[in-house]
Amino acid sequence: DFADETAQVNALQAGQVDLVDQLSYPSVAPIEGNGGKVVVSKSAAFVPFAMQTQTAPFDDVRVRQALRLLVDREQFNEQVFGGLGSVGNDIYGSISPAFKSVPQREQDVEQAKSLLKAAGQSSFRATLYSSATGPGAESGAAVFASQAKAAGVEVTIETQPSTQFWGQTYSKVPFFLSVWTVGSYLVEASQGLAKGAPFPETQQADAAWQNRFEEALRTVDKARREEISEGLMKFDYEQGGYIIPVEYPSVEGMSAKVKGVIPNISGYAVNGGRGLQDIWMSA
């Protein structure tokens, strides 16, 4: 259990450990340059920026949409993950067929400024609470703040140790980082958006959305269920409280002796979280 990524990589290069996980792109070259190996997985996991929709100033949908429009997702992917990730689209469930029903959101700084002005927030300021929640979390927060600043939006980053963040801050402040691994839309929505969800990060509370969600759960016909899911995703895309710039790559570094680590889509470390059962060491 290392405090940061630098300590992980140093331990690997010193031969103190043989396998480290949840790395970011800048660690790839040092590991490979020291005779180690790296396995990179295109995952469907992500580190979202959560805006609480019942708390000012994020209770105004124009503010939420404006912040989403500030993100240059391709640039974000390049700067944080060396282009190894996949562009996100601010909603759950990229592995679900209905995900493709919403258009890919693109950066539109002028539209963002217009929305903030209409919301009375032309000089918008916010504090983003950050921690090492997942791969690229802290560097991603810095890139987001930089992109926002180019549009005149001031985002102050409050970086906290993981214990403080998860114990005292997570879901208790209006704007914060989180982390989600792979899941279908309805499964992830049940965990984060639906009534009684264990992780209600965005404080979503829309009766019409809830009714449609419950209808989807009751629906046996797959085509009809996907149709309902499309409507739910459209609501999230237009009204929701997440900014999901990129689905992060899962990057794992190891010594040349380690065998059996393969790419997986889950975002869980080391073969999809299956532990060491498929891994062995050569002599």
Side-chain angles (χ1 to χ4, degrees):
D1 187 10
F2 292 95
D4 55 46
E5 185 171 331
T6 300
Q8 280 184 294
V9 175
N10 288 343
L12 177 66
Q13 293 179 330
Q16 296 171 339
V17 298
D18 292 292
L19 174 63
V20 291
D21 58 24
Q22 293 197 342
L23 302 178
S24 59
Y25 172 70
S27 293
V28 173
I31 292 172
E32 292 182 333
N34 199 49
K37 301 186 300 181
V38 174
V39 172
V40 178
S41 302
K42 283 270 192 180
S43 83
F46 52 93
V47 171
F49 299 70
M51 301 174 284
Q52 295 195 330
T53 62
Q54 305 300 312
T55 304
F58 304 105
D59 55 348
D60 191 323
V61 67
R62 295 170 294 188
V63 170
R64 302 196 298 272
Q65 288 294 67
L67 294 190
R68 289 165 147 186
L69 289 168
L70 292 177
V71 183
D72 182 333
R73 295 156 200 269
E74 294 288 355
Q75 183 188 71
F76 190 106
N77 188 20
E78 286 294 331
Q79 292 185 349
V80 179
F81 299 112
L84 298 176
S86 302
V87 169
N89 207 20
D90 304 331
I91 59 176
Y92 291 147
S94 66
I95 65 171
S96 298
F99 185 84
K100 296 180 180 179
S101 66
V102 297
Q104 176 60 55
R105 181 169 279 122
E106 305 287 349
Q107 184 185 48
D108 190 333
V109 173
E110 292 308 312
Q111 177 66 8
K113 289 180 177 179
S114 177
L115 286 167
L116 289 173
K117 182 178 180 180
Q121 298 282 354
S122 295
S123 300
F124 186 78
R125 303 288 184 270
T127 297
L128 172 64
Y129 287 83
S130 170
S131 187
T133 60
E138 292 171 290
S139 57
V143 169
F144 174 77
S146 176
Q147 292 183 346
K149 188 173 184 178
V153 170
E154 193 70 33
V155 176
T156 300
I157 301 173
E158 181 72 31
T159 303
Q160 298 179 336
S162 293
T163 51
Q164 180 184 2
F165 178 83
W166 293 113
Q168 301 174 20
T169 302
Y170 169 75
S171 78
K172 299 179 178 68
V173 294
F175 194 28
F176 59 96
L177 297 186
S178 182
V179 63
W180 287 75
T181 50
V182 68
S184 66
Y185 175 76
L186 291 177
V187 169
E188 291 190 320
S190 71
Q191 296 291 300
L193 300 177
K195 184 177 180 180
F199 309 109
E201 296 170 340
T202 64
Q203 298 181 331
Q204 177 165 298
D206 184 85
W209 183 97
Q210 181 66 30
N211 289 337
R212 289 195 296 270
F213 173 75
E214 292 174 3
E215 180 185 357
L217 296 186
R218 295 192 302 266
T219 300
V220 176
D221 181 76
K222 182 177 180 180
R224 174 57 183 158
R225 189 168 60 248
E226 288 300 318
E227 182 182 343
I228 299 169
S229 295
E230 287 182 10
L232 295 168
M233 287 183 174
K234 183 178 180 181
F235 177 93
D236 298 345
Y237 182 81
E238 295 174 350
Q239 303 285 331
Y242 281 121
I243 303 169
I244 303 174
V246 171
E247 294 180 334
Y248 62 75
S250 182
V251 182
E252 292 146 351
M254 62 211 74
S255 71
K257 298 184 296 182
V258 176
K259 311 294 182 181
V261 180
I262 59 175
N264 72 92
I265 194 176
S266 73
Y268 288 108
V270 191
N271 291 0
R274 290 165 54 188
L276 305 179
Q277 65 188 42
D278 299 317
I279 299 174
W280 71 96
M281 305 278 286
S282 64

